[in-house]
Amino acid sequence: MQLYGTEITSRLLLGTAQYPSPAVLTEAVKASGTEIITVSLRRETADGSGTAFWQDLQKTGCRILPNTAGCHSVQEAVTTARMARELFDTPWIKLEVIGHSDTLQPDVFGLVEAARMLSSEGFQVFPYTTDDLVVGEKLLEAGCEVLMPWGAPIGSGQGLRNPDALRAMRAHFPDVPLVVDAGIGRPSDAAQAMELGMDAVLLNTAVAKAGDPAGMARAMALAVEAGRAGFTADPMERRDMAVPSTPVLGMAEFA
């Protein structure tokens, strides 16, 4: 998998919020086998209180993907992205511009505007978006090379609410990396996303809030691997009628 020219082996991206402790987070990251972890820039840690947390993340050896979580306006998201680039020394940014407080649905109009601004400044933008094809096209025109459609609202664990839309995105954007972001609650959800042809899955709450975060992280990694293998194996189409697995032609007939 290529993301902005960087080859990535693991197709599971992991968030770093809501874990019981830094030690549990580190164990989960290791168990997942992920190479990319997302990190929210907390402006209240500008006094240095978050330094130990950043150091723990760096020790994992994973690539950091900062995000603009919690931003509700273009200016807020752009400013946060600029701060993140200085702090983490990376052009990568997971761009979130939230438009609805309850569903945390992206403000797609602000998202496209912010993506265009950041791309012009040299950022490599990973936009958290809806599964709308037109919005996807606008984001690509704005300079994005990756799309991150939601599976369901953030933290809901509902799984894929509209698999047909994700399937349509895969068909419409055959050469664009697609990463399902948000809504994954169980390993079966992750496997389903990969079976639809998604290139990767990004999840957080499903692992962080599990009774055994490291165990769930490992389960998600296996699900992503199985789902990808199933997709590349070209699975059979579903049928409306039963089809016998044993041919009846040539079988003996008994009176």
Side-chain angles (χ1 to χ4, degrees):
M1 179 172 62
Q2 295 280 336
L3 299 176
Y4 286 102
T6 299
E7 184 173 330
I8 304 296
T9 301
S10 172
R11 294 177 182 271
L12 175 62
L13 287 64
L14 199 63
T16 57
Q18 306 183 65
Y19 286 84
S21 70
V24 172
L25 167 60
T26 300
E27 290 176 2
V29 169
K30 182 178 180 180
S32 72
T34 186
E35 297 170 52
I36 301 174
I37 52 178
T38 63
V39 181
S40 175
L41 179 64
R42 304 295 184 182
R43 279 160 292 179
E44 63 267 27
T45 62
D47 60 357
S49 60
T51 301
F53 178 64
W54 306 140
Q55 291 176 344
D56 287 340
L57 295 181
Q58 291 172 338
K59 291 177 182 177
T60 65
C62 294
R63 188 175 185 116
I64 302 294
L65 174 59
N67 67 40
T68 62
C71 293
H72 290 258
S73 70
V74 172
Q75 189 56 54
E76 189 179 14
V78 170
T79 300
T80 301
R82 290 168 178 163
M83 294 169 62
R85 179 165 60 179
E86 290 196 20
L87 179 61
F88 298 108
D89 191 26
T90 177
W92 281 18
I93 189 71
K94 180 193 167 191
L95 180 61
E96 296 183 25
V97 182
I98 301 302
H100 193 276
S101 298
D102 292 334
T103 65
L104 301 182
Q105 179 172 329
D107 171 1
V108 295
F109 305 102
L111 182 67
V112 172
E113 182 182 350
R116 184 176 291 110
M117 293 175 62
L118 292 173
S119 294
S120 69
E121 296 181 15
F123 282 90
Q124 295 173 337
V125 181
F126 295 68
Y128 166 59
T129 182
T130 62
D131 48 27
D132 186 280
L133 299 181
V134 176
V135 175
E137 289 178 343
K138 296 297 184 182
L139 287 168
L140 296 178
E141 292 172 3
C144 300
E145 297 181 13
V146 177
L147 297 176
M148 304 183 75
W150 66 347
I154 294 173
S156 68
Q158 295 179 10
L160 307 185
R161 294 209 303 186
N162 196 347
D164 288 338
L166 294 175
R167 187 180 292 107
M169 288 195 77
R170 179 71 291 165
H172 194 71
F173 303 113
D175 301 319
V176 177
L178 300 179
V179 182
V180 169
D181 179 13
I184 299 296
R186 298 175 182 273
S188 55
D189 301 332
Q192 182 186 16
M194 299 304 293
E195 288 176 356
L196 291 174
M198 301 297 104
D199 292 280
V201 167
L202 193 162
L203 53 89
N204 185 167
T205 309
V207 170
K209 292 300 184 179
D212 177 5
M216 183 59 74
R218 177 58 178 159
M220 290 293 187
L222 293 172
V224 167
E225 183 178 348
R228 178 65 182 180
F231 172 73
T232 58
D234 191 16
M236 63 174 284
E237 295 294 329
R238 291 187 176 183
R239 299 162 174 168
D240 293 330
M241 299 293 290
V243 177
S245 57
T246 302
V248 295
L249 187 65
M251 291 182 65
E253 294 186 12
F254 298 94

